[in-house]
Amino acid sequence: SRTPSESKNMPTGKADVMSALPVGMFFDSLGVRLNGPKADGKRIVVNWVFTDTGEQYALNLENSALTYRPNRLAAAADATLTLARTTLDEINLSPSPEQAFAAAIGAGQIQVTGNVQKIAALFAMLDTFTTRFNIIEP
């Protein structure tokens, strides 16, 4: 349940929209936020396993591009994240998704096997964009 101040800041239906979006769109949004120069020369492979939907994805950073494969895990992944899709939705609805992601790991909502530093490095390569801007300048 949200506090009154959280409800004022969250557009009606945003949680419903977030839960209806395919996981691939989340990975696409990460690809848009990827800072190419920061990612230059880096290679990171992360498996994502969603316990409540049964979905599996292999996320691959290579050649300054972020790609993913559904329904298949990478054999040589740097790390594997196991979480519920509802946890990912909650993280995406947070005002600070990177902090919410770290908090979910700390709270045990996301289990990490492998090199957790690779996950931190991946998120450090993402730019943050402002979502509020003037469409028409006076």
Side-chain angles (χ1 to χ4, degrees):
S1 144
R2 293 186 291 269
T3 66
S5 64
E6 289 174 327
S7 295
K8 284 190 275 184
N9 294 331
M10 185 180 301
T12 305
K14 187 173 180 181
D16 293 334
V17 170
M18 186 63 61
S19 65
L21 289 176
V23 174
M25 290 186 113
F26 166 72
F27 295 134
D28 289 339
S29 73
L30 293 182
V32 169
R33 294 179 50 207
L34 183 67
N35 182 310
K38 285 183 182 178
D40 188 36
K42 308 276 190 320
R43 185 174 192 298
I44 299 174
V45 178
V46 179
N47 286 329
W48 294 68
V49 177
F50 293 94
T51 57
D52 53 348
T53 63
E55 295 175 277
Q56 298 180 341
Y57 294 84
L59 185 68
N60 184 56
L61 169 67
E62 191 171 18
N63 298 322
S64 296
L66 200 57
T67 59
Y68 64 92
R69 289 187 323 241
N71 305 317
R72 191 166 51 174
L73 298 178
D78 295 300
T80 298
L81 301 174
T82 304
L83 67 155
R85 166 63 197 264
T86 54
T87 300
L88 181 64
D89 294 342
E90 290 170 11
I91 289 168
N92 285 323
L93 290 170
S94 168
S96 176
E98 283 77 16
Q99 288 179 350
F101 192 86
I105 290 173
Q109 293 175 298
I110 300 175
Q111 289 76 44
V112 180
T113 55
N115 189 344
V116 72
Q117 296 303 320
K118 291 284 190 170
I119 297 184
L122 177 62
F123 278 100
M125 292 180 228
L126 301 178
D127 287 332
T128 302
F129 304 109
T130 180
T131 57
R132 296 178 188 238
F133 55 89
N134 294 330
I135 295 174
I136 300 174
E137 291 290 330

